[in-house]
Amino acid sequence: MRNETVLSFKWGFLQVIDDGRAIVGLKFMADAVGSVTVSSLAENLKVQLSEYFLGRRKIFDIPLKYTGTDFQLAVWRHLHLIPYGETQTYKQVAEAIGCPKACRAVGAACHCNPIAIVIPCHRVVGKNESLIGYAGSIEVKQWLLNLEKQNK
């Protein structure tokens, strides 16, 4: 079973994809188009995201299921370890997963992140805290980082 739900927030839309047991995708959308099946997982995630956007939630507690290459999985697992309100550079992430020369590959793995925000790739920045790429836009990345720093 595959459910797709479009969540609306004051700043935009997120598409939640779940398999009935876990969230398998969370993606930014330009608008709320397409078929929508509201699932209990999506409703739970909407509550948690709303709490997060209000600065009341720092850790998501919802089942996730994602697939990728071994390298991508290592990057995504590490992203969960970056504390709320803090950042790491692509180089720091590469070093942490034992591939110190794989900065660009870390960026590619972040780009392929299947569950935006919950897998916090927005906490990965370039040298000197420069903001480099984000599926939701650089403005959204900056907003998420500011939100976390203000509510740390």
Short mmCIF file of all heavy atoms in Angstrom, two decimals, residues 16-56:
data_model
loop_
_atom_site.label_atom_id
_atom_site.label_comp_id
_atom_site.label_asym_id
_atom_site.label_seq_id
_atom_site.Cartn_x
_atom_site.Cartn_y
_atom_site.Cartn_z
N VAL A 16 3.87 13.88 1.53
CA VAL A 16 4.26 12.77 2.39
C VAL A 16 3.89 11.48 1.66
O VAL A 16 2.77 11.33 1.18
CB VAL A 16 3.51 12.80 3.74
CG1 VAL A 16 3.92 11.62 4.61
CG2 VAL A 16 3.74 14.10 4.45
N ILE A 17 4.84 10.56 1.60
CA ILE A 17 4.58 9.25 1.02
C ILE A 17 4.85 8.23 2.11
O ILE A 17 5.89 8.27 2.77
CB ILE A 17 5.49 8.98 -0.20
CG1 ILE A 17 5.32 10.09 -1.24
CG2 ILE A 17 5.20 7.61 -0.81
CD1 ILE A 17 6.41 10.16 -2.28
N ASP A 18 3.89 7.33 2.32
CA ASP A 18 4.10 6.27 3.30
C ASP A 18 3.60 4.95 2.74
O ASP A 18 2.84 4.91 1.79
CB ASP A 18 3.43 6.62 4.64
CG ASP A 18 1.93 6.50 4.63
OD1 ASP A 18 1.41 5.37 4.69
OD2 ASP A 18 1.26 7.55 4.56
N ASP A 19 4.09 3.87 3.37
CA ASP A 19 3.70 2.54 2.91
C ASP A 19 2.72 1.86 3.87
O ASP A 19 2.53 0.66 3.84
CB ASP A 19 4.94 1.66 2.69
CG ASP A 19 5.68 1.34 3.97
OD1 ASP A 19 5.24 1.75 5.06
OD2 ASP A 19 6.73 0.67 3.89
N GLY A 20 2.12 2.65 4.75
CA GLY A 20 1.19 2.11 5.73
C GLY A 20 1.86 1.76 7.05
O GLY A 20 1.19 1.62 8.07
N ARG A 21 3.18 1.62 7.02
CA ARG A 21 3.93 1.30 8.25
C ARG A 21 4.99 2.33 8.58
O ARG A 21 5.40 2.46 9.72
CB ARG A 21 4.56 -0.08 8.13
CG ARG A 21 3.53 -1.21 8.16
CD ARG A 21 4.19 -2.53 8.04
NE ARG A 21 4.65 -2.64 6.65
CZ ARG A 21 5.28 -3.67 6.15
NH1 ARG A 21 5.58 -4.68 6.90
NH2 ARG A 21 5.62 -3.69 4.89
N ALA A 22 5.47 3.05 7.56
CA ALA A 22 6.55 4.02 7.78
C ALA A 22 6.50 5.10 6.70
O ALA A 22 5.97 4.89 5.61
CB ALA A 22 7.91 3.30 7.72
N ILE A 23 7.08 6.25 7.03
CA ILE A 23 7.24 7.32 6.05
C ILE A 23 8.39 6.93 5.13
O ILE A 23 9.47 6.57 5.59
CB ILE A 23 7.57 8.66 6.75
CG1 ILE A 23 6.48 9.06 7.75
CG2 ILE A 23 7.83 9.77 5.72
CD1 ILE A 23 5.13 9.36 7.16
N VAL A 24 8.14 6.96 3.83
CA VAL A 24 9.19 6.61 2.87
C VAL A 24 9.62 7.82 2.04
O VAL A 24 10.63 7.76 1.35
CB VAL A 24 8.76 5.44 1.94
CG1 VAL A 24 8.49 4.19 2.76
CG2 VAL A 24 7.55 5.80 1.10
N GLY A 25 8.86 8.91 2.11
CA GLY A 25 9.23 10.10 1.36
C GLY A 25 8.59 11.35 1.94
O GLY A 25 7.48 11.31 2.45
N LEU A 26 9.33 12.44 1.89
CA LEU A 26 8.82 13.76 2.28
C LEU A 26 9.53 14.76 1.37
O LEU A 26 10.74 14.93 1.43
CB LEU A 26 9.12 14.06 3.75
CG LEU A 26 8.61 15.40 4.28
CD1 LEU A 26 7.08 15.49 4.17
CD2 LEU A 26 9.04 15.60 5.72
N LYS A 27 8.74 15.39 0.48
CA LYS A 27 9.32 16.25 -0.54
C LYS A 27 8.63 17.60 -0.59
O LYS A 27 7.42 17.69 -0.38
CB LYS A 27 9.20 15.57 -1.91
CG LYS A 27 9.88 14.24 -1.97
CD LYS A 27 9.63 13.54 -3.28
CE LYS A 27 10.32 12.19 -3.23
NZ LYS A 27 10.13 11.42 -4.41
N PHE A 28 9.39 18.63 -0.91
CA PHE A 28 8.84 19.96 -1.11
C PHE A 28 8.06 19.99 -2.41
O PHE A 28 8.45 19.36 -3.39
CB PHE A 28 9.96 21.00 -1.17
CG PHE A 28 10.67 21.18 0.14
CD1 PHE A 28 11.84 20.50 0.41
CD2 PHE A 28 10.14 22.02 1.10
CE1 PHE A 28 12.50 20.66 1.62
CE2 PHE A 28 10.80 22.19 2.32
CZ PHE A 28 11.96 21.51 2.58
N MET A 29 6.94 20.72 -2.42
CA MET A 29 6.11 20.86 -3.62
C MET A 29 5.84 22.34 -3.88
O MET A 29 5.73 23.12 -2.94
CB MET A 29 4.78 20.13 -3.43
CG MET A 29 4.89 18.63 -3.25
SD MET A 29 3.27 17.86 -3.07
CE MET A 29 2.56 18.18 -4.68
N ALA A 30 5.70 22.68 -5.15
CA ALA A 30 5.39 24.06 -5.52
C ALA A 30 3.94 24.40 -5.20
O ALA A 30 3.61 25.51 -4.81
CB ALA A 30 5.67 24.28 -7.00
N ASP A 31 3.05 23.41 -5.38
CA ASP A 31 1.64 23.62 -5.06
C ASP A 31 1.01 22.29 -4.70
O ASP A 31 1.64 21.24 -4.81
CB ASP A 31 0.89 24.31 -6.20
CG ASP A 31 1.10 23.61 -7.54
OD1 ASP A 31 1.13 22.37 -7.57
OD2 ASP A 31 1.24 24.30 -8.55
N ALA A 32 -0.23 22.32 -4.29
CA ALA A 32 -0.92 21.12 -3.82
C ALA A 32 -1.72 20.49 -4.96
O ALA A 32 -2.92 20.64 -5.05
CB ALA A 32 -1.84 21.46 -2.65
N VAL A 33 -1.03 19.77 -5.83
CA VAL A 33 -1.70 19.10 -6.94
C VAL A 33 -1.52 17.60 -6.81
O VAL A 33 -0.62 17.12 -6.14
CB VAL A 33 -1.16 19.58 -8.31
CG1 VAL A 33 -1.44 21.05 -8.52
CG2 VAL A 33 0.33 19.30 -8.42
N GLY A 34 -2.40 16.86 -7.48
CA GLY A 34 -2.29 15.41 -7.48
C GLY A 34 -3.30 14.78 -6.54
O GLY A 34 -4.00 15.45 -5.79
N SER A 35 -3.38 13.46 -6.61
CA SER A 35 -4.31 12.74 -5.76
C SER A 35 -3.78 12.72 -4.33
O SER A 35 -2.58 12.66 -4.10
CB SER A 35 -4.51 11.32 -6.27
OG SER A 35 -3.29 10.63 -6.23
N VAL A 36 -4.70 12.80 -3.40
CA VAL A 36 -4.33 12.86 -2.00
C VAL A 36 -5.07 11.79 -1.23
O VAL A 36 -6.29 11.71 -1.28
CB VAL A 36 -4.65 14.25 -1.41
CG1 VAL A 36 -4.35 14.28 0.07
CG2 VAL A 36 -3.89 15.33 -2.14
N THR A 37 -4.35 10.94 -0.54
CA THR A 37 -4.91 9.96 0.38
C THR A 37 -4.35 10.28 1.75
O THR A 37 -3.16 10.22 1.95
CB THR A 37 -4.49 8.52 -0.02
OG1 THR A 37 -4.89 8.28 -1.35
CG2 THR A 37 -5.10 7.50 0.91
N VAL A 38 -5.21 10.68 2.66
CA VAL A 38 -4.73 11.04 4.00
C VAL A 38 -4.58 9.77 4.82
O VAL A 38 -5.51 9.00 4.97
CB VAL A 38 -5.71 12.01 4.69
CG1 VAL A 38 -5.22 12.37 6.08
CG2 VAL A 38 -5.88 13.26 3.84
N SER A 39 -3.38 9.57 5.35
CA SER A 39 -3.11 8.40 6.18
C SER A 39 -2.85 8.84 7.62
O SER A 39 -2.54 10.00 7.88
CB SER A 39 -1.89 7.64 5.65
OG SER A 39 -0.71 8.39 5.90
N SER A 40 -2.95 7.90 8.54
CA SER A 40 -2.69 8.23 9.94
C SER A 40 -1.22 8.60 10.14
O SER A 40 -0.90 9.47 10.95
CB SER A 40 -3.09 7.07 10.85
OG SER A 40 -2.35 5.91 10.52
N LEU A 41 -0.32 7.98 9.39
CA LEU A 41 1.10 8.35 9.48
C LEU A 41 1.32 9.79 9.03
O LEU A 41 2.06 10.54 9.66
CB LEU A 41 1.96 7.41 8.62
CG LEU A 41 2.32 6.07 9.24
CD1 LEU A 41 2.91 5.15 8.19
CD2 LEU A 41 3.29 6.26 10.39
N ALA A 42 0.67 10.18 7.95
CA ALA A 42 0.81 11.55 7.46
C ALA A 42 0.22 12.54 8.46
O ALA A 42 0.80 13.61 8.69
CB ALA A 42 0.14 11.71 6.10
N GLU A 43 -0.90 12.19 9.07
CA GLU A 43 -1.49 13.07 10.08
C GLU A 43 -0.56 13.23 11.27
O GLU A 43 -0.37 14.32 11.79
CB GLU A 43 -2.85 12.53 10.53
CG GLU A 43 -3.94 12.69 9.49
CD GLU A 43 -4.25 14.14 9.15
OE1 GLU A 43 -4.17 15.02 10.05
OE2 GLU A 43 -4.57 14.42 7.99
N ASN A 44 0.05 12.13 11.71
CA ASN A 44 1.00 12.15 12.81
C ASN A 44 2.20 13.02 12.45
O ASN A 44 2.67 13.84 13.24
CB ASN A 44 1.43 10.73 13.18
CG ASN A 44 2.33 10.67 14.40
OD1 ASN A 44 2.66 11.68 15.01
ND2 ASN A 44 2.75 9.48 14.74
N LEU A 45 2.71 12.84 11.23
CA LEU A 45 3.85 13.64 10.79
C LEU A 45 3.49 15.12 10.72
O LEU A 45 4.29 15.98 11.10
CB LEU A 45 4.38 13.15 9.45
CG LEU A 45 5.60 13.90 8.91
CD1 LEU A 45 6.77 13.84 9.89
CD2 LEU A 45 6.01 13.34 7.56
N LYS A 46 2.27 15.43 10.27
CA LYS A 46 1.86 16.84 10.22
C LYS A 46 1.88 17.46 11.61
O LYS A 46 2.35 18.59 11.79
CB LYS A 46 0.49 17.00 9.59
CG LYS A 46 0.10 18.47 9.51
CD LYS A 46 -1.13 18.74 8.70
CE LYS A 46 -1.29 20.26 8.60
NZ LYS A 46 -2.29 20.64 7.65
N VAL A 47 1.40 16.74 12.61
CA VAL A 47 1.44 17.24 13.98
C VAL A 47 2.88 17.49 14.41
O VAL A 47 3.21 18.55 14.96
CB VAL A 47 0.74 16.26 14.95
CG1 VAL A 47 1.00 16.62 16.40
CG2 VAL A 47 -0.76 16.22 14.67
N GLN A 48 3.75 16.51 14.14
CA GLN A 48 5.14 16.65 14.54
C GLN A 48 5.84 17.79 13.79
O GLN A 48 6.62 18.54 14.39
CB GLN A 48 5.89 15.33 14.35
CG GLN A 48 5.43 14.27 15.33
CD GLN A 48 6.31 13.04 15.32
OE1 GLN A 48 7.50 13.10 15.07
NE2 GLN A 48 5.70 11.89 15.62
N LEU A 49 5.58 17.93 12.51
CA LEU A 49 6.16 19.03 11.74
C LEU A 49 5.66 20.38 12.24
O LEU A 49 6.43 21.33 12.36
CB LEU A 49 5.86 18.87 10.25
CG LEU A 49 6.67 17.82 9.50
CD1 LEU A 49 6.05 17.53 8.14
CD2 LEU A 49 8.12 18.25 9.35
N SER A 50 4.37 20.46 12.56
CA SER A 50 3.81 21.71 13.09
C SER A 50 4.50 22.08 14.40
O SER A 50 4.84 23.25 14.62
CB SER A 50 2.30 21.58 13.30
OG SER A 50 1.66 21.40 12.06
N GLU A 51 4.72 21.09 15.26
CA GLU A 51 5.42 21.33 16.52
C GLU A 51 6.86 21.78 16.25
O GLU A 51 7.36 22.70 16.90
CB GLU A 51 5.43 20.06 17.38
CG GLU A 51 4.07 19.67 17.89
CD GLU A 51 4.03 18.28 18.51
OE1 GLU A 51 5.02 17.50 18.37
OE2 GLU A 51 3.00 17.95 19.13
N TYR A 52 7.50 21.14 15.28
CA TYR A 52 8.87 21.51 14.91
C TYR A 52 8.91 22.96 14.42
O TYR A 52 9.76 23.74 14.82
CB TYR A 52 9.38 20.55 13.83
CG TYR A 52 10.67 20.97 13.19
CD1 TYR A 52 11.90 20.73 13.80
CD2 TYR A 52 10.67 21.63 11.96
CE1 TYR A 52 13.09 21.13 13.21
CE2 TYR A 52 11.86 22.03 11.37
CZ TYR A 52 13.06 21.78 11.99
OH TYR A 52 14.23 22.19 11.42
N PHE A 53 7.97 23.33 13.53
CA PHE A 53 7.97 24.68 12.96
C PHE A 53 7.67 25.74 14.02
O PHE A 53 8.00 26.91 13.85
CB PHE A 53 6.99 24.78 11.80
CG PHE A 53 7.36 23.93 10.61
CD1 PHE A 53 6.40 23.24 9.91
CD2 PHE A 53 8.68 23.83 10.20
CE1 PHE A 53 6.73 22.46 8.81
CE2 PHE A 53 9.03 23.04 9.10
CZ PHE A 53 8.05 22.36 8.41
N LEU A 54 7.02 25.35 15.11
CA LEU A 54 6.78 26.26 16.23
C LEU A 54 7.93 26.27 17.23
O LEU A 54 7.87 26.98 18.23
CB LEU A 54 5.47 25.89 16.94
CG LEU A 54 4.19 26.12 16.14
CD1 LEU A 54 2.99 25.50 16.86
CD2 LEU A 54 3.98 27.60 15.89
N GLY A 55 8.95 25.46 16.98
CA GLY A 55 10.10 25.39 17.88
C GLY A 55 9.87 24.52 19.10
O GLY A 55 10.65 24.55 20.04
N ARG A 56 8.81 23.72 19.09
CA ARG A 56 8.48 22.88 20.24
C ARG A 56 8.96 21.44 20.12
O ARG A 56 8.89 20.69 21.07
CB ARG A 56 6.96 22.88 20.45
CG ARG A 56 6.42 24.23 20.78
CD ARG A 56 4.94 24.18 21.05
NE ARG A 56 4.43 25.53 21.23
CZ ARG A 56 3.25 25.92 20.78
NH1 ARG A 56 2.47 25.08 20.15
NH2 ARG A 56 2.87 27.16 20.97
#
